[in-house]
Amino acid sequence: MKILFRHKRGLISFLILCGLYLIAIFSGFLAPYHYETEQRLCSYSPPTKLHFIDSEGKFHFKPFIYNYSFKLDENRRRVYTEDKTKIYKSNFLTRGDKYKFLGFIPFDIHLFGVEEGGRFYLFGSDSRGRDLFSRILYGGRVSLSIGVIAVMITFSLGLIVGGVSGYFGGKVDAFLMRVCEMIMLVPSFYLLLALRASFPPEIGTVKIYFLIVIILSFIGWASLARVIRGIVLGLREKEFILAARSIGLSDIKIIIKHILPNTSSYTLVAITLSIPGYILGESALSLLGLGIQDPVPSWGNLLTDAMAIAQIKLHPWVLIPGFFIFLTVIAFNMLGDALRDIYDPKGRKI
Amino acid sequence: MKEILRINNISKTYKIKGAFLKLSGFVNALKGIFFTVSKGETLALIGESGSGKSTLAFIVAGLISPDSGNIIYKGRDLHALYKKDSKIRRKIQIIFQDPYNTLNPRYKVYDALSEPVWVHKIVSRRKIKNEIVRTLEMVGLGEDYIYKYPHELSGGERQRIAIARAIILKPEVIICDEPTSNLDLSIQAQILNLLLEIKKREDLTLLFITHDINIASFISDRVIVLYNGEIVEEGKKEDIFANPVSSYTKSLFEASTL
């Protein structure tokens, strides 16, 4: 941990990730609107501009906004212009949509917002006039947590199977490794789709969430188990393991207390490097409409809007969720690289 | 003297795996070894690498099982006892060759030494620390070593911890699998003296495995020479060193005096 603070790239990516997770945890408070709040009149409204100087040239200490009004052009597309007749002042800690703070405390105070009647879209809005900024913050809850939970399941499974397989060897090893190979044999994305297809398409959001977690971890554990097995195979012959056996420790205790802790430097790096894979997996499923279902946002299903080129041309802000995915993935990869540098005894030049 | 261990016709064969499911051959590591160990003696097993001496050590310690034959410990089959009740393991302990691998790198000295104590419930929880300090003193280390990690210790110190880990169980037999071969000469002597001292104090039986004639002559009462998995020479130290019978032993002595 201390060394991480001396590793510049590692520290930066670590802080970025901390920031993203904090944002996801406090999404209800940070987001000005609830993710379901619609304004049908503001479909694909562009990002709202913050103003300090009003039309009369007067300076306002607190930024304010104008609402957008639209006219239809010759293609019956909405063209939004600022309606400068009324000023809506922004404010910190305003009352707004009800939400549950940290998931269980009912609350209605938001970090910032505008006066009653104003419509504040920091990142623009989607087809139904829902605030993209709020939806991205809420979407982070799904996208960021799914990676961590899936990784935890994958790693407990992979560590147990790999540990047992490597430690006992022989027939147990051969059997478990063939099972792993069978799972690894199928290209993972098709396996992902096939597994998803084997469940009903319309089920509750919570169920879908856990279904995706389970599917993602089911695909991931096999390759991990193989690597862990390789490490354990090397550790098994170490004399401190033999010493533990000659003391009379049971096999299970040896695996848990001596073998698995000694794989941790690899495991920690592998965990960090594999989380982005799960985030991307969830995004891919949601993008195809097989993952988290609207209205609940995830970064993947927010990007569904950006699938058509025309949309990107007319409403470029629908790509913003992609930027968040990009940021998370790159931060995890950089953190993993940093951890690998730290744990690699040959490369301790940080 | 009372017999404590009888190595009864032990054989062990290793399979060599060739390419794809083919068996390319066998290595006969041990071919029907028979000898006895009396209580309180130091028996040196001498042999070159590949002579099967480490395999024998691992079999006696119960880390691998023999293909045929058995080991009789005080009149009972040792490997049957190992299977039935792991508590018997405390009676026979082993010290390994490589001081850099003999301790778990993630365990402090305290953890490494407390583990055998709680596995066998030798003393109550509150007395564990006292017991560890007492044992550390026996191997010539102070109390300040308790919270050190293996990477903070020298090879000789690690080997002392390994000895402490073995004797904290108050065993009757200690198998030493070349415990000094990876150490500096000066430290070798310290460790050997320490082993002899502990042996005398705790009334131990030592089964000392080595490839070094000089160490064997220094430490042992009786010597067995292994060659290619067979015993080629057995007898009292004085007899063998004065008058070796087999040609292999003779060549071994000639090589060592160079």
Side-chain angles (χ1 to χ4, degrees):
Chain A
M1 202 63 201
K2 264 183 204 159
I3 310 168
L4 185 62
F5 285 103
R6 274 187 271 139
H7 194 290
K8 220 183 244 167
R9 264 180 307 138
L11 181 62
I12 292 172
S13 45
F14 181 71
L15 291 179
I16 290 177
L17 287 174
C18 285
L20 285 168
Y21 275 92
L22 283 178
I23 285 173
I25 291 168
F26 297 109
S27 53
F29 174 67
L30 296 172
Y33 298 104
H34 190 257
Y35 61 84
E36 273 186 276
T37 310
E38 298 183 0
Q39 285 287 344
R40 294 277 173 132
L41 283 172
C42 302
S43 168
Y44 289 121
S45 161
T48 314
K49 287 190 190 107
L50 284 171
H51 295 273
F52 288 94
I53 297 163
D54 62 20
S55 48
E56 294 156 15
K58 228 168 75 186
F59 181 78
H60 291 248
F61 194 66
K62 271 184 184 167
F64 61 90
I65 62 156
Y66 297 115
N67 272 357
Y68 281 101
S69 60
F70 64 87
K71 285 190 194 112
L72 295 176
D73 68 358
E74 70 275 13
N75 297 322
R76 298 197 58 75
R77 289 198 190 108
R78 295 178 182 192
V79 179
Y80 285 94
T81 45
E82 282 185 325
D83 174 10
K84 302 214 169 179
T85 51
K86 177 140 175 53
I87 283 173
Y88 296 95
K89 280 187 193 141
S90 70
N91 249 321
F92 281 110
L93 302 175
T94 54
R95 285 186 186 278
D97 296 332
K98 285 197 172 61
Y99 65 95
K100 293 224 168 93
F101 189 66
L102 294 177
F104 59 93
I105 308 164
F107 219 54
D108 64 349
I109 290 174
H110 297 259
L111 179 65
F112 60 90
V114 292
E115 285 174 316
E116 195 80 28
R119 289 187 296 275
F120 181 44
Y121 298 126
L122 201 58
F123 287 170
S125 70
D126 67 358
S127 60
R128 286 154 72 179
R130 295 174 295 195
D131 177 28
L132 191 59
F133 179 70
S134 305
R135 285 178 66 76
I136 286 175
L137 298 194
Y138 276 102
R141 292 195 309 193
V142 171
S143 295
L144 292 173
S145 65
I146 229 165
V148 174
I149 295 178
V151 139
M152 285 194 308
I153 298 177
T154 310
F155 273 77
S156 21
L157 215 60
L159 281 174
I160 292 169
V161 174
V164 166
S165 183
Y167 183 76
F168 289 106
K171 278 177 187 153
V172 182
D173 181 33
F175 172 74
L176 288 174
M177 283 306 108
R178 295 305 86 76
V179 173
C180 289
E181 275 156 19
M182 253 138 67
I183 291 170
M184 290 164 69
L185 225 128
V186 187
S188 58
F189 196 69
Y190 297 99
L191 189 58
L192 197 71
L193 292 180
L195 284 172
R196 179 64 188 89
S198 62
F199 293 97
E202 300 295 331
I203 50 180
T205 312
V206 180
K207 271 191 196 158
I208 274 203
Y209 178 86
F210 284 107
L211 186 63
I212 293 172
V213 168
I214 289 164
I215 290 176
L216 287 173
S217 20
F218 179 75
I219 292 169
W221 69 269
S223 56
L224 181 84
R226 278 190 74 93
V227 183
I228 295 290
R229 167 194 174 258
I231 300 173
V232 173
L233 226 48
L235 281 174
R236 185 176 66 159
E237 306 298 326
K238 286 266 167 79
E239 288 171 349
F240 67 85
I241 302 295
L242 297 176
R245 282 175 58 200
S246 78
I247 283 169
L249 223 58
S250 66
D251 291 332
I252 303 297
K253 276 189 181 152
I254 291 178
I255 292 179
I256 293 172
K257 300 196 61 175
H258 288 278
I259 289 191
L260 293 185
N262 275 292
T263 64
S264 67
S265 56
Y266 168 79
T267 325
L268 206 60
V269 174
I271 283 180
T272 354
L273 288 177
S274 65
I275 289 178
Y278 296 102
I279 293 177
L280 289 175
E282 182 274 329
S283 300
L285 271 184
S286 299
L287 180 78
L288 295 174
L290 297 169
I292 305 295
Q293 305 286 324
D294 208 52
V296 178
S298 86
W299 291 345
N301 73 16
L302 288 176
L303 271 182
T304 324
D305 269 353
M307 288 234 278
I309 291 289
Q311 294 284 20
I312 299 174
K313 185 168 174 277
L314 292 168
H315 328 289
W317 54 89
V318 294
L319 273 177
I320 295 174
F323 170 74
F324 277 84
I325 296 177
F326 170 77
L327 191 69
T328 315
V329 169
I330 210 161
F332 267 117
N333 279 325
M334 266 167 48
L335 184 65
D337 275 346
L339 288 177
R340 186 159 50 198
D341 285 353
I342 289 164
Y343 277 113
D344 184 7
K346 285 171 211 150
R348 278 234 167 138
K349 280 174 282 167
I350 309 160
Chain B
M1 274 203 282
K2 229 172 93 190
E3 170 189 306
I4 187 164
L5 275 178
R6 179 187 301 191
I7 313 308
N8 203 356
N9 200 21
I10 292 282
S11 299
K12 179 78 187 175
T13 307
Y14 286 114
K15 291 171 193 160
I16 300 175
K17 271 190 187 162
F20 196 65
L21 301 177
K22 245 192 294 179
L23 211 60
S24 73
F26 296 95
V27 175
N28 293 316
L30 295 171
K31 304 168 191 163
I33 300 284
F34 179 92
F35 64 89
T36 59
V37 185
S38 326
K39 187 161 173 51
E41 73 169 342
T42 304
L43 175 62
L45 279 168
I46 310 177
E48 59 186 15
S49 36
S51 60
K53 57 190 193 310
S54 280
T55 305
L56 189 57
F58 282 19
I59 289 176
V60 178
L63 297 173
I64 47 182
S65 38
D67 293 341
S68 67
N70 52 19
I71 294 170
I72 309 294
Y73 166 75
K74 290 184 173 171
R76 289 152 85 193
D77 186 341
L78 192 62
H79 279 264
L81 285 176
Y82 280 149
K83 263 177 212 153
K84 240 193 303 184
D85 179 17
S86 63
K87 293 277 178 282
I88 192 74
R89 284 185 183 273
R90 67 175 285 191
K91 296 289 177 199
I92 298 176
Q93 283 297 303
I94 181 166
I95 298 165
F96 295 97
Q97 184 174 1
D98 182 2
Y100 295 92
N101 275 328
T102 198
L103 301 172
N104 186 342
R106 294 180 176 275
Y107 273 31
K108 288 176 187 159
V109 170
Y110 178 86
D111 303 318
L113 294 184
S114 63
E115 189 168 52
V117 177
W118 61 250
V119 168
H120 290 279
K121 300 187 180 65
I122 289 181
V123 293
S124 66
R125 196 170 284 270
R126 271 180 297 145
K127 288 184 187 153
I128 283 185
K129 197 180 167 190
N130 285 339
E131 183 70 15
I132 289 172
V133 172
R134 202 180 63 82
T135 315
L136 279 177
E137 273 164 12
M138 278 171 72
V139 297
L141 297 176
E143 195 181 341
D144 50 326
Y145 279 84
I146 274 194
Y147 296 111
K148 284 192 176 172
Y149 279 101
H151 64 81
E152 299 171 89
L153 305 175
S154 71
E157 286 168 335
R158 289 178 207 212
Q159 212 57 311
R160 283 169 193 265
I161 302 291
I163 293 171
R165 179 174 58 193
I167 62 172
I168 204 167
L169 286 174
K170 303 189 175 59
E172 294 185 5
V173 180
I174 292 188
I175 304 155
C176 305
D177 184 11
E178 305 198 45
T180 57
S181 65
N182 282 0
L183 300 174
D184 292 345
L185 271 178
S186 58
I187 297 168
Q188 280 193 12
Q190 288 175 18
I191 296 287
L192 291 175
N193 281 324
L194 177 69
L195 279 170
L196 282 180
E197 185 193 316
I198 289 171
K199 180 205 164 225
K200 210 181 283 171
R201 182 145 33 132
E202 302 280 301
D203 193 22
L204 290 169
T205 308
L206 288 187
L207 190 58
F208 201 94
I209 287 149
T210 181
H211 60 263
D212 191 328
I213 304 279
N214 299 320
I215 290 177
S217 80
F218 173 73
I219 203 166
S220 64
D221 308 322
R222 215 151 59 85
V223 170
I224 287 177
V225 181
L226 273 177
Y227 180 67
N228 253 346
E230 284 170 297
I231 294 178
V232 292
E233 188 108 29
E234 181 177 0
K236 279 199 168 136
K237 174 173 76 175
E238 296 79 18
D239 299 345
I240 287 185
F241 279 85
N243 189 15
V245 179
S246 86
S247 57
Y248 174 70
T249 319
K250 280 177 195 159
S251 66
L252 210 62
F253 287 162
E254 278 161 21
S256 74
T257 50
L258 282 177

